[in-house]
Amino acid sequence: MKEGPLLEAVSVAKHYPVKKGIIVSRQVGAVRAVDGVSFTLHRGETLALVGESGCGKSTTARVVMRLIEPTGGDIIFKGQNVTNVAGAKLRALRRHLQIVFQDPYASLNPRLTVADTIAEPMAVHGIGDAASRKARVQELLRLTGLRAFHADRYPHEFSGGQRQRIGIARALAVEPEVMVLDEPVSALDVSIQAQVVNLLGDLQQRLGLSYLFIAHDLAVVKHVADRVAVMYLGRIVEVAGKRELFSNPRHPYTRALLAAIPRPDPSRRGAVTPLGGDLPSPLNIPPGCRFHTRCPVAQAVCREQDPPLREIAPGHTAACHFAEDLPRFDAEADGGIAPVAQRRLAAYAAARERRALAAVPAP
Amino acid sequence: MSDSLLRVEDLRTVFRSSSGDIAAVDGVTLEVPRGKTLGIVGESGCGKSMLSLSIMRLVPNPGRISQGRVMLEDRDLAALSPAEMRAVRGGDIAMIFQEPMTSLNPVHSVGDQLMEAMRAHDAKASAAELKNRAVEALRRVRIPSPERRFAEFPHQLSGGMRQRVMIAMALACSPRLLIADEPTTALDVTVQAQILDLLRELQKETGMSVILITHDLGVVAEMADEVAVMYAGRVVERGTAKDIFEDPQHPYTIGLLGSIPRIEEDRERLLSIDGSVPPPFAFPKGCRFNPRCPFVIPACKEADPPLRELGPGHRAACIRAPVELALDIAA
Ligand SMILES: Nc1ncnc2c1ncn2[C@@H]1O[C@H](COP(=O)(O)OP(=O)(O)OP(=O)(O)O)[C@@H](O)[C@H]1O
Ligand SMILES: Nc1ncnc2c1ncn2[C@@H]1O[C@H](COP(=O)(O)OP(=O)(O)OP(=O)(O)O)[C@@H](O)[C@H]1O
Ligand code: SF4
Ligand SMILES: [Mg+2]
Ligand SMILES: [Mg+2]
């Protein structure tokens, strides 16, 4: 029998009141940062949450981790409603849900050594003694591709990619079941980004972790996710398995996002018509479908009725009145990588492999 | 080629430090073709911004150009007096930056700043005429209801709008060369697509040359005619966009291409490059990529390889290119 979801968000909302007046302050509106978001995360899977700046990804993550209180909705962890748990139960929950932040520079305490940084969550949760924590730190350094001697260094002595590895090691220290990765590679250079993406994949395989992977870069998501949820202005507008979402997107916003990604292939240049208009403010969400002000296929009904997120095929949901009526998505008229470039990439991979083998003495 | 507007020759820009001069740009040679776009790509810290600031003669203290020429047609910008250079900046060359908020003045309206920029080029125009031109300039960068936006302040505009205003200001002097340093890096992809589209159209309209600096190979492929790949203060490969993407020669270029996640592909693992970019005070001897390069041989650690022609106009600074042959020999 299939296991139920590990983590579930049900109609989660987070509204920030906007107040006016100095002496008698009154609420004049609300920033609807997250406005009714539901999703499930299963054991061992990666669910990607993608969308443009300000659409509510980080807020959603913080609400499900109980780092901020929701305005509405429920959070279910392993079948238990944990929306209102406190004290020891909340601490236990926090142990199982760990977060890695975007900015590897800001998210580490500059005064703690790497060993102390990684061991801190174990101390907080009362796991092990000094000796066992020390051993665990060494294990985590190995696991995340750092070296034993790094333990006594300070964060400023590391590059961005290494700092992100430290952040990952720290999150792993308490053996969480779910890792929330909030743009874990956005601040990194591409060559380093690739190292961290590969590391996250390896760790997931070895440890059976579930990832809620937040990103704005759909190309990265294509490489890490099992399922993808696309957010727009505080709502999820489409969810599907990765292959399905990229080959058969059914929400006009998902299509616009996919089309806007610049492809590393000069022969495809200028192929897209960019989406018009500006993102509306979350203080002032348009009535009806919240995407209608920018949607290329909007009709009268879109201005009046808010389309619910509904199943349009097994495992594929979309919030658009015309989800089924959109034309076939002419997926990448595939140029792919040119043959010569392909050969060079293969040579590079082979040479790296050979060097790695040469560096490790045969057993 | 004689058909270039700008030619940078063996340019070196250094920062003085206690342990001697540190070269952020070290012997860069490149050309910007007339009416075309040169893309400069490389990872953080490789010297892209220092190179563009050197061309503009805006290198911050204590940095300075210590060697080389910046030929705008037959004038060497590196040798101009500060006053002459100011005239070039306000006339022939304009620049836009990554973060438009920091280059716009928050206390003046968008329209006032635009009029100011225009007055600098045309002291005789009346206020009414400048206002007309400013509104027209906003329209030209596709800002909706430009009359209303004219009176607004930078914080009232979205990031994409602000970048449009910056472009309008840069174009106020009808430059022959526009240098855009990561103009879309801070923007969302849908907004980025709008801005790139706008830049392309404006280039078509005006025939200006563009230097587009980015770390995003996708943006390069989308925009550039010619490409220079930078690593650790040097250009390691130059060629047409087709050369770089279809026939990459330098191991760094190959590694970069393998590191980018591609939407049309579903590889389980990305190639990635081992290690990270060294800071300028720790550049290794020989080829600067050698500690990270899978094709390294002892000779790579001896001398820094010069750019070598591997096809018409296609050059790479690697003694082992083409690498698939190097691999066979090593095997
Ligand atoms: N404490 C707060 N008070 C008021 N508004 C807030 C607060 N925190 C977030 N917001 C607003 O809520 C919206 C969603 O923010 P959030 O940080 O979740 O977006 P995001 O999708 O993570 O964006 P990014 O990609 O930029 O990180 C934004 O409009 C933001 O300005
Ligand atoms: N004032 C300074 N003193 C010493 N070194 C400096 C100074 N300013 C910049 N540098 C160094 O010059 C090198 C090149 O920097 P530059 O800003 O040109 O990189 P970049 O390629 O534009 O990177 P990014 O993609 O991060 O913008 C960097 O290693 C930087 O540390
Ligand atoms: S519901 Fe209408 S406006 Fe919204 S995405 Fe679908 S077609 Fe566009
Ligand atoms: Mg965020
Ligand atoms: Mg820069």
Side-chain angles (χ1 to χ4, degrees):
Chain A
M1 203 187 81
K2 200 168 173 246
E3 221 184 333
L6 192 56
L7 178 69
E8 195 174 355
V10 184
S11 307
V12 165
K14 179 68 191 177
H15 296 177
Y16 291 102
V18 177
K19 299 204 170 90
K20 229 190 186 137
I22 300 160
I23 300 162
V24 189
S25 120
R26 64 197 167 84
Q27 185 171 339
V28 293
V31 173
R32 283 144 71 189
V34 175
D35 203 21
V37 158
S38 304
F39 64 81
T40 56
L41 177 67
H42 292 267
R43 193 177 291 284
E45 86 165 339
T46 299
L47 173 69
L49 207 52
V50 303
E52 294 179 283
S53 187
C55 69
K57 304 180 293 295
S58 298
T59 307
T60 301
R62 281 163 183 71
V63 169
V64 300
M65 292 192 68
R66 291 286 317 278
L67 294 173
I68 51 180
E69 292 306 312
T71 312
D74 289 297
I75 301 140
I76 319 283
F77 183 66
K78 291 187 173 172
Q80 303 275 314
N81 190 324
V82 294
T83 322
N84 298 305
V85 297
K89 278 194 171 150
L90 180 58
R91 262 203 311 282
L93 177 73
R94 294 236 167 103
R95 176 180 169 181
H96 294 304
L97 304 177
Q98 288 289 318
I99 188 161
V100 176
F101 294 100
Q102 163 171 1
D103 188 349
Y105 297 92
S107 58
L108 299 174
N109 183 339
R111 279 186 289 277
L112 290 187
T113 63
V114 167
D116 290 341
T117 300
I118 297 174
E120 191 183 50
M122 293 189 262
V124 168
H125 289 282
I127 299 165
D129 54 22
S132 72
R133 278 180 217 151
K134 201 169 162 202
R136 175 90 177 126
V137 165
Q138 286 300 329
E139 185 190 337
L140 289 162
L141 288 174
R142 253 195 320 280
L143 200 59
T144 50
L146 294 162
R147 308 272 189 78
F149 68 85
H150 286 146
D152 303 321
R153 304 254 175 112
Y154 289 86
H156 75 262
E157 299 175 59
F158 292 87
S159 68
Q162 287 174 316
R163 285 183 231 210
Q164 205 52 298
R165 288 173 194 266
I166 298 168
I168 292 167
R170 174 185 157 92
L172 286 174
V174 295
E175 303 185 312
E177 295 178 72
V178 176
M179 292 256 272
V180 173
L181 305 160
D182 192 351
E183 310 249 12
V185 297
S186 307
L188 305 176
D189 275 325
V190 280
S191 68
I192 311 299
Q193 172 177 309
Q195 294 170 4
V196 174
V197 163
N198 288 342
L199 170 67
L200 288 169
D202 293 343
L203 291 173
Q204 181 167 48
Q205 282 215 324
R206 286 170 69 169
L207 307 174
L209 296 164
S210 308
Y211 290 154
L212 180 61
F213 191 102
I214 295 174
H216 62 264
D217 181 343
L218 273 165
V220 169
V221 162
K222 180 93 193 261
H223 282 264
V224 300
D226 298 304
R227 287 189 304 133
V228 183
V230 180
M231 278 188 85
Y232 185 76
L233 272 184
R235 280 271 176 88
I236 290 178
V237 297
E238 183 162 12
V239 187
K242 173 173 70 178
R243 289 238 156 72
E244 172 76 1
L245 189 102
F246 282 86
S247 62
N248 184 28
R250 287 281 130 199
H251 195 285
Y253 178 63
T254 309
R255 292 181 172 213
L257 267 188
L258 282 172
I261 301 169
R263 311 293 160 93
D265 177 1
S267 66
R268 295 175 40 98
R269 122 171 1 171
V272 294
T273 321
L275 190 64
D278 258 4
L279 190 66
S281 152
L283 246 171
N284 212 340
I285 291 179
C289 171
R290 54 194 64 204
F291 187 55
H292 86 252
T293 54
R294 305 172 75 193
C295 180
V297 298
Q299 304 291 316
V301 60
C302 305
R303 285 185 279 280
E304 279 142 32
Q305 286 171 34
D306 189 0
L309 189 63
R310 61 199 168 83
E311 183 152 82
I312 53 172
H316 190 164
T317 54
C320 169
H321 294 302
F322 301 105
E324 290 88 345
D325 308 333
L326 296 180
R328 236 178 58 107
F329 184 65
D330 52 344
E332 320 55 68
D334 196 12
I337 305 179
V340 175
Q342 196 85 59
R343 221 162 48 230
R344 302 258 157 80
L345 292 180
Y348 192 101
R352 254 183 99 203
E353 193 96 323
R354 195 176 295 171
R355 254 164 62 96
L357 285 177
V360 182
Chain B
M1 241 194 310
S2 62
D3 217 27
S4 50
L5 175 69
L6 186 87
R7 211 186 125 74
V8 174
E9 292 170 7
D10 200 24
L11 187 74
R12 185 174 150 96
T13 299
V14 298
F15 287 92
R16 184 154 300 150
S17 82
S18 48
S19 50
D21 281 353
I22 289 172
V25 176
D26 199 3
V28 164
T29 295
L30 43 81
E31 276 148 70
V32 186
R34 234 174 261 281
K36 297 255 163 77
T37 298
L38 169 73
I40 299 181
V41 65
E43 293 178 293
S44 190
C46 68
K48 306 181 296 295
S49 296
M50 281 309 144
L51 173 60
S52 54
L53 292 173
S54 303
I55 295 171
M56 293 290 275
R57 292 265 307 273
L58 291 172
V59 179
N61 271 323
R64 65 190 166 87
I65 296 174
S66 70
Q67 167 196 310
R69 304 201 295 172
V70 179
M71 301 300 296
L72 181 70
E73 293 175 330
D74 48 13
R75 277 204 296 171
D76 180 7
L77 303 187
L80 295 186
S81 73
E84 289 169 323
M85 192 58 214
R86 260 194 305 279
V88 170
R89 278 198 294 270
D92 298 291
I93 311 183
M95 187 160 176
I96 54 176
F97 300 90
Q98 171 172 350
E99 204 359 282
M101 199 56 195
T102 54
S103 5
L104 286 169
N105 188 332
V107 302
H108 292 294
S109 75
V110 162
D112 283 350
Q113 295 185 57
L114 251 173
M115 281 171 63
E116 177 89 30
M118 292 178 154
R119 187 168 296 122
H121 309 297
D122 185 355
K124 290 186 294 260
S126 70
E129 170 153 15
L130 281 178
K131 174 163 183 187
N132 275 337
R133 279 195 226 157
V135 169
E136 215 28 63
L138 291 175
R139 199 187 315 280
R140 187 163 170 227
V141 293
R142 326 273 189 272
I143 288 185
S145 15
E147 292 85 357
R148 184 162 60 81
R149 295 293 183 187
F150 181 88
E152 289 188 346
F153 291 84
H155 73 266
Q156 293 173 287
L157 306 179
S158 66
M161 277 310 175
R162 285 199 287 263
Q163 197 55 285
R164 284 168 196 269
V165 171
M166 284 311 300
I167 294 172
M169 289 179 63
L171 295 190
C173 65
S174 314
R176 292 192 290 161
L177 173 64
L178 177 70
I179 303 180
D181 188 353
E182 309 260 10
T184 59
T185 303
L187 304 175
D188 279 319
V189 279
T190 61
V191 183
Q192 167 171 281
Q194 295 171 353
I195 297 290
L196 295 181
D197 202 48
L198 174 68
L199 281 174
R200 222 174 356 228
E201 282 180 38
L202 291 171
Q203 182 173 36
K204 216 182 293 162
E205 269 172 50
T206 60
M208 65 184 172
S209 301
V210 174
I211 295 181
L212 181 77
I213 292 172
T214 175
H215 63 272
D216 186 335
L217 281 164
V219 170
V220 172
E222 193 64 49
M223 301 293 289
D225 301 294
E226 302 278 327
V227 180
V229 180
M230 281 190 78
Y231 186 77
R234 286 181 152 281
V235 171
V236 296
E237 185 162 359
R238 282 171 62 193
T240 62
K242 200 168 146 63
D243 289 336
I244 300 298
F245 286 90
E246 297 183 4
D247 182 18
Q249 292 281 2
H250 196 282
Y252 178 60
T253 312
I254 300 168
L256 267 187
L257 281 172
S259 296
I260 35 173
R262 289 169 192 257
I263 209 94
E264 71 276 6
E265 243 207 351
D266 216 353
R267 270 174 303 164
E268 275 308 314
R269 277 187 92 73
L270 297 169
L271 195 55
S272 92
I273 304 175
D274 296 323
S276 55
V277 185
F281 58 83
F283 287 159
K285 192 169 174 294
C287 168
R288 292 182 179 174
F289 190 57
N290 90 68
R292 304 179 74 189
C293 182
F295 299 101
V296 63
I297 52 173
C300 304
K301 299 178 187 171
E302 302 288 314
D304 201 352
L307 283 170
R308 177 160 70 88
E309 183 130 12
L310 291 156
H314 184 186
R315 298 180 178 82
C318 171
I319 54 174
R320 305 215 72 199
V323 295
E324 65 275 26
L325 299 182
L327 197 66
D328 292 340
I329 293 159

